[in-house]
Amino acid sequence: MRHRHSTPFEMCEIKYHIKLPIFIARQWIRHRTANVNEYSARYSIMDKEFYVPSKENLAAQSTNNRQGRGELINGKQADNILKILKEDAERNYEHYEEMLNEKYDGSIIDEKKKGLARELARMNLTLNSYTQWYWKTDLLNLLNFLSLRADSHAQYEIREYADVMMSTVKKWVPITYDAFVDYRVGGMELSAKGKIVIQKMIKGEKCDIESSGLSKREWNELMDSFGFKQHLA
Ligand SMILES: Cc1cc2nc3c(=O)[nH]c(=O)nc-3n(C[C@H](O)[C@H](O)[C@H](O)COP(=O)(O)OP(=O)(O)OC[C@H]3O[C@@H](n4cnc5c(N)ncnc54)[C@H](O)[C@@H]3O)c2cc1C
């Protein structure tokens, strides 16, 4: 793993059965090096099941990271948001059944009417509806997935899945797991400029962001990674 010699990891394969909200499936499917077999909403009626965040995960839009969350939303505003999420999902699902002219349990609503095709009726479902798939991949690509998704930059909802999958890797291939935690999760990559900054600091030479050629964001990430105090506001 240290030398990026990847072929041994391609020899091990694993298949997961995953139930996940559609908006998370959309992030997940970007990992193209897996074989995916998804539950067909053309063929079957979708489950009446939706993801609604718990209150402690109901955060406001981050003010400094467009892809992130900020402070928690509390009180009446949180209650109202949860109400909207539940009501919209349930109402859309009821309309889905109405268009299908069929209930989730298979009972027909109105014998005199034709139901809309499943492949069309599904378009009205909310993105928090659950889908399911089998996801088969090899260890190399699974570790790539986990290094991106069991990471603080990943959205909480996909990270939750990745964290559980980390524990399956630990049980399945414990030696690889330890190497992964050591070299990938706990390790870091240094750019050439970043390396020069660290070398100068070790030698006690003068070093600042202007002479480093790093952006403020890179500089701060570097300082934070090494636990140095030169984080810039
Ligand atoms: C925090 C975060 C934010 C993201 N934001 C966005 C976003 O805003 N919009 C968006 O569209 N995506 C976004 N992504 C998805 C991201 O850009 C990747 O597409 C995704 O993480 C899959 O990674 P991957 O390509 O390494 O995985 P895989 O598709 O599994 O590929 C594994 C490896 O195979 C190789 N490979 C695969 N396909 C190709 C190819 N076509 N050409 C060359 N090499 C290939 C690459 O070496 C790649 O690393 C985000 C991901 C993360 C983690």
Side-chain angles (χ1 to χ4, degrees):
M1 190 174 291
R2 191 157 60 90
H3 293 131
R4 295 174 186 257
H5 173 39
S6 54
T7 44
F9 304 108
E10 292 171 27
M11 295 299 122
C12 314
E13 289 192 320
I14 190 161
K15 179 159 55 181
Y16 292 95
H17 179 191
I18 297 155
K19 184 168 85 175
L20 70 174
I22 292 172
F23 72 98
I24 293 302
R26 205 158 147 181
Q27 295 188 337
W28 197 307
I29 204 70
R30 294 295 298 133
H31 297 265
R32 296 150 291 180
T33 43
N35 299 101
V36 183
N37 187 354
E38 187 173 4
Y39 181 87
S40 172
R42 292 185 75 191
Y43 184 84
S44 311
I45 298 180
M46 293 285 281
D47 287 343
K48 189 175 183 177
E49 208 173 356
F50 322 105
Y51 167 73
V52 177
S54 55
K55 260 194 175 173
E56 61 269 23
N57 289 309
L58 217 54
Q61 173 62 40
S62 164
T63 49
N64 56 13
N65 176 0
R66 287 192 198 181
Q67 276 200 340
R69 299 183 188 187
E71 286 175 14
L72 276 189
I73 294 178
N74 301 305
K76 280 193 180 152
Q77 195 191 352
D79 293 339
N80 190 41
I81 289 169
L82 291 175
K83 188 166 162 278
I84 290 173
L85 287 171
K86 278 182 201 151
E87 283 180 4
D88 284 3
E90 281 172 11
R91 192 191 55 236
N92 281 24
Y93 195 89
E94 277 164 24
H95 285 157
Y96 171 65
E97 287 181 316
E98 189 180 327
M99 290 189 283
L100 291 173
N101 193 29
E102 193 178 349
K103 288 267 175 202
Y104 171 62
D105 61 11
S107 59
I108 301 296
I109 295 171
D110 185 342
E111 295 290 349
K112 291 181 209 125
K113 281 188 184 162
K114 284 183 189 149
L116 182 66
R118 288 173 183 176
E119 65 180 17
L120 285 173
R122 63 173 165 175
M123 75 171 100
N124 208 36
L125 291 169
T126 48
L127 288 178
N128 62 347
S129 306
Y130 276 98
T131 183
Q132 293 187 36
W133 60 33
Y134 290 100
W135 195 75
K136 181 171 81 76
T137 192
D138 63 46
L139 189 51
L140 174 67
N141 290 302
L142 175 61
L143 296 180
N144 183 43
F145 174 90
L146 293 175
S147 67
L148 292 166
R149 302 301 183 177
D151 180 88
S152 60
H153 296 95
Q155 175 166 350
Y156 163 77
E157 281 77 13
I158 197 164
R159 213 166 61 225
E160 282 289 286
Y161 287 89
D163 287 346
V164 173
M165 289 156 87
M166 281 286 278
S167 63
T168 65
V169 173
K170 188 176 184 180
K171 285 184 192 150
W172 176 36
V173 281
I175 297 171
T176 297
Y177 175 85
D178 287 344
F180 179 62
V181 169
D182 193 8
Y183 295 113
R184 301 277 294 278
V185 179
M188 66 174 291
E189 276 189 6
L190 269 185
S191 68
K193 287 176 193 154
K195 200 165 90 180
I196 291 169
V197 169
I198 299 302
Q199 285 167 340
K200 281 186 175 172
M201 286 182 144
I202 289 170
K203 289 182 198 156
E205 293 174 13
K206 183 177 175 308
C207 179
D208 54 26
I209 182 167
E210 284 76 29
S211 61
S212 73
L214 298 178
S215 68
K216 191 170 149 192
R217 197 167 170 182
E218 274 181 293
W219 172 271
N220 281 340
E221 279 176 12
L222 185 65
M223 295 304 122
D224 294 346
S225 302
F226 282 86
F228 293 155
K229 292 190 186 109
Q230 287 88 334
H231 188 108
L232 301 169

